[in-house]
Amino acid sequence: MITEKIRAAAKELLEKGEVETVIGWERGTFWYNSTPVFISKPEQADRLVFDDFCANNLAKYLLDYRNADGKIAVFVKGCDARAITRLIQDNQVKREKVYLIGIPCTGMKEAPKTVSSQDVAGLPLLAKCQSCATPNPVIYDILLGDPVPQKEVGNRFAGVEALEAKGADEKYEHWGKLFSECIRCYACRNVCPACNCRECAFDANGLNWLGKQNNLQENQMFNMTRAMHVAGRCIECGECERVCPMGLPLMDINRKIIKDLNELFGSYDAGLNLEDRPPLGQYKLDDPEKFM
Amino acid sequence: MSLNTEALPKSQEVTASPEAAPQPWEPRIVGFACNWCTYAGADLAGLSRLQYPPSIRLIRVPCSGRVNPQFVIRAFQRGADGVLVAGCHPGDCHYSTGNYFTRRRFLLMQRLLEYMGMDPRRFQARWISGSEGPKFQQTVTQMTEDIKALGPNRKMRDVE
C-alpha cells in the first residue's frame, strides 16, 4: 500500500533530520479531496495519504521554501517531477536543497458529481491525466513502488488542429466567447510551475502592463501574454485547466505553442531533461527565416 | 510602453473641418524600429526623398529584441491596424544576438495571433539594414496596401 510507504519514508527522513519539512497530501474535508500538507515532525507523518485525488502539484510550494536552511522533501508524481525540473532550470530551487520522493502515478480521478456513493473506481480520470505522457517521475531520489507502464495516448494536438482549420473570424469568435468568461482570478498563473517570477507582470500596478478592468480586451491580453510567457517552458501538466473556475480550455493555447515550437525549432518537451534549454532562450543560425 | 492614444492632444487628431469631404480611410501601422539598422534605414529613406505612405508611426527601440509581445497586443488594442517589428539582419545585430531571439519569438507570436483569429498579415517582422532605405519604403508601401485591402482592424481593439 503506497500510503504506508510514503508515511514510513517521511517518518524516516524527519527522524534522521535529513529534511526539515515534508510536503505531501493529507485527507481533505471530504473523501474526494486530498489537500497539500506540510509536516515537520515525525509523529505527523501519519497524516500523509496518497489516493486517487492527490491531483495538486506540490512543486510550486517549494517557492515558499526558497530561503529555507535545510532540505525540503517533496512527493512527486510524473507531472510534478517535470515541474521540479522546470523550477531547477529556472534557478528557483537548487537540486541539492530538495529531496524528491517519486511516486509512479496511474492518474487522478475527478471529484464526483454527487457525494452520496463512494464509488471511486467508477469515477473518470481527470482530463489532464487522460493525456499524460509521463506517469513515472523523471527526476527523484527514491522511487516508491514500481514504475507503471505508459498509457497509449492519441494525438495530443488533435484539438489544436481542429481549431487551426477554422476560419479567422470563427476562431476569433471562439476565443472571444471563452475569454469573455474569464474572471481573471489568476488561478492558472498561481498554480503554474512555469509562472515563478518573483513579481508577475500582471501584479505590477504602475507599469500599465495590464489594465485592471475585466473586459474582453484585457482578458485577451492576459491570456495571450501568459501563453507567451510560459512558451517553451510549459510542462503540459494541465493544472491551469484543472483549476480554472470557469472551465476554460487553456491547454488548447499552451498546446498550440508547443506544437508550433516543435514544428519550427525541433522537438522539445519541457521538464524532461535538466540539460535541455527552452527553445525561446536559445537560437540557431539556421532557424526558419520567414521574415525577410 | 506608452501607446495610449488618449495621451495625445485632441488637436492633433482632428485636422479636417466638419464640412470638408470625408477623408478616405488610412491604416495606422505601429512600427517598432531598431535604433541601429531600421531607424537609420528609415532615416535614409527620408534623406533620399523616397515616397512612402504616412500610415506608419515609428517607435524607436534599442534592438528588435527589446520588443515585448505585449507591445504588439497593446498596439492592436489601442487602435493599430497593423504592427511592424523591424531590426537588423541576422548576424548584424549591434548586440550580436538580439535579433535571433526576435526571430524565434515573433515567428511564434505571429502563429499565435493567427490562432486567436487575427490575420497574420497585420503583424509583420522585417530585417531592414541602415543602408536599405528603398527596402524600408517598399515594406511600408506593401504593408499599407495589404492592410488597406483588409480594412480597419476591429479585433482585440478597445478604442474607437
Side-chain angles (χ1 to χ4, degrees):
Chain A
M1 185 66 186
I2 193 82
T3 296
E4 266 98 70
K5 278 189 190 166
I6 68 166
R7 284 178 183 169
K11 201 167 190 168
E12 195 190 330
L13 285 170
L14 286 167
E15 270 171 355
K16 281 190 189 160
E18 273 190 52
V19 299
E20 65 176 42
T21 303
V22 175
I23 310 178
W25 301 272
E26 72 173 337
R27 179 58 49 89
T29 314
F30 305 104
W31 59 270
Y32 52 83
N33 58 4
S34 301
T35 50
V37 64
F38 308 85
I39 60 170
S40 49
K41 295 190 186 74
E43 59 269 24
Q44 292 172 320
D46 289 341
R47 288 168 68 181
L48 293 166
V49 295
F50 187 78
D51 57 15
D52 288 311
F53 304 101
C54 298
N56 288 62
N57 186 339
L58 301 177
K60 189 93 195 252
Y61 294 109
L62 284 175
L63 295 182
D64 297 336
Y65 292 91
R66 267 191 283 228
N67 301 319
D69 296 326
K71 271 188 161 188
I72 310 294
V74 198
F75 291 100
V76 288
K77 309 185 294 285
C79 47
D80 306 356
R82 286 178 76 173
I84 300 263
T85 317
R86 176 76 269 132
L87 294 179
I88 295 172
Q89 283 182 325
D90 285 347
N91 265 335
Q92 296 291 340
V93 296
K94 290 199 178 73
R95 179 66 185 92
E96 59 271 20
K97 291 282 289 277
V98 289
Y99 189 89
L100 304 173
I101 309 165
I103 305 176
C105 166
T106 49
M108 293 294 152
K109 299 277 174 74
E110 252 177 56
K113 297 275 186 295
T114 58
V115 296
S116 50
S117 79
Q118 297 206 2
D119 171 29
V120 176
L123 291 171
L125 280 182
L126 283 172
K128 69 169 200 163
C129 298
Q130 284 171 10
S131 55
C132 175
T134 46
N136 299 303
V138 289
I139 178 173
Y140 54 81
D141 291 305
I142 51 167
L143 189 67
L144 302 180
D146 301 319
V148 294
Q150 199 191 316
K151 276 177 304 199
E152 198 57 52
V153 287
N155 178 11
R156 62 190 166 137
F157 299 126
V160 175
E161 279 159 9
L163 258 174
E164 278 172 344
K166 290 185 179 180
D169 291 339
E170 220 179 327
K171 280 189 270 200
Y172 189 74
E173 210 170 288
H174 170 85
W175 289 112
K177 210 168 132 238
L178 292 173
F179 288 157
S180 51
E181 282 173 28
C182 172
I183 56 173
R184 291 237 307 281
C185 61
Y186 301 151
C188 48
R189 177 202 65 180
N190 292 350
V191 81
C192 177
C195 273
N196 50 38
C197 297
R198 273 173 200 242
E199 187 175 14
C200 177
F202 305 127
D203 290 336
N205 266 316
L207 292 172
N208 199 15
W209 283 116
L210 185 68
K212 297 298 167 206
Q213 60 275 52
N214 192 315
N215 58 20
L216 175 59
Q217 287 78 16
E218 297 296 343
N219 291 353
Q220 279 169 330
M221 177 75 145
F222 167 68
N223 283 286
M224 289 176 71
T225 306
R226 212 187 85 79
M228 286 302 288
H229 281 190
V230 302
R233 306 190 303 119
C234 168
I235 55 161
E236 287 184 80
C237 63
E239 282 283 271
C240 47
E241 206 171 83
R242 182 180 70 84
V243 298
C244 181
M246 307 312 284
L248 303 182
L250 298 172
M251 283 309 286
D252 277 358
I253 313 176
N254 291 331
R255 286 225 170 85
K256 161 73 180 167
I257 300 241
I258 292 166
K259 179 171 175 279
D260 282 349
L261 284 172
N262 288 350
E263 279 173 16
L264 290 167
F265 313 122
S267 173
Y268 176 77
D269 285 307
L272 283 188
N273 190 340
L274 266 178
E275 270 70 51
D276 289 351
R277 296 183 59 207
L280 286 192
Q282 55 169 322
Y283 64 89
K284 285 195 195 106
L285 296 180
D286 58 347
D287 277 336
E289 181 58 277
K290 206 190 138 217
F291 308 132
M292 304 272 289
Chain B
M1 169 71 203
S2 181
L3 297 175
N4 194 345
T5 50
E6 286 163 15
L8 290 170
K10 290 289 174 214
S11 59
Q12 286 188 10
E13 290 178 359
V14 183
T15 47
S17 58
E19 56 269 18
Q23 296 288 307
W25 172 75
E26 278 290 328
R28 268 188 291 193
I29 302 170
V30 174
F32 293 97
C34 128
N35 177 45
W36 305 98
C37 290
T38 310
Y39 204 79
D43 201 25
L44 182 66
L47 283 172
S48 320
R49 303 285 185 269
L50 299 175
Q51 289 287 323
Y52 60 84
S55 53
I56 192 155
R57 276 74 162 162
L58 280 189
I59 297 174
R60 184 166 63 156
V61 286
C63 175
S64 57
R66 167 69 182 94
V67 182
N68 187 318
Q70 274 185 288
F71 293 0
V72 178
I73 308 174
R74 183 56 62 88
F76 282 126
Q77 275 190 346
R78 295 289 194 262
D81 300 302
V83 176
L84 172 73
V85 176
C88 310
H89 285 262
D92 292 346
C93 179
H94 184 76
Y95 308 99
S96 305
T97 57
N99 51 8
Y100 287 114
F101 294 102
T102 312
R103 182 162 68 178
R104 284 206 164 190
R105 191 185 308 149
F106 286 109
L107 268 175
L108 194 67
M109 176 80 182
Q110 195 184 35
R111 285 178 169 222
L112 181 67
L113 283 169
E114 190 179 356
Y115 189 61
M116 292 288 156
M118 293 287 287
D119 194 297
R121 279 170 291 180
R122 291 194 189 274
F123 173 76
Q124 293 293 335
R126 286 285 181 279
W127 311 129
I128 300 167
S129 82
S131 59
E132 290 179 323
K135 184 171 178 188
F136 181 82
Q137 176 202 28
Q138 283 159 17
T139 305
V140 176
T141 313
Q142 183 62 45
M143 209 173 158
T144 306
E145 275 170 18
D146 284 353
I147 290 173
K148 262 189 183 163
L150 289 169
N153 179 38
R154 293 272 159 238
K155 290 172 180 172
M156 306 211 309
R157 191 166 162 155
D158 69 352
V159 288
E160 281 312 308

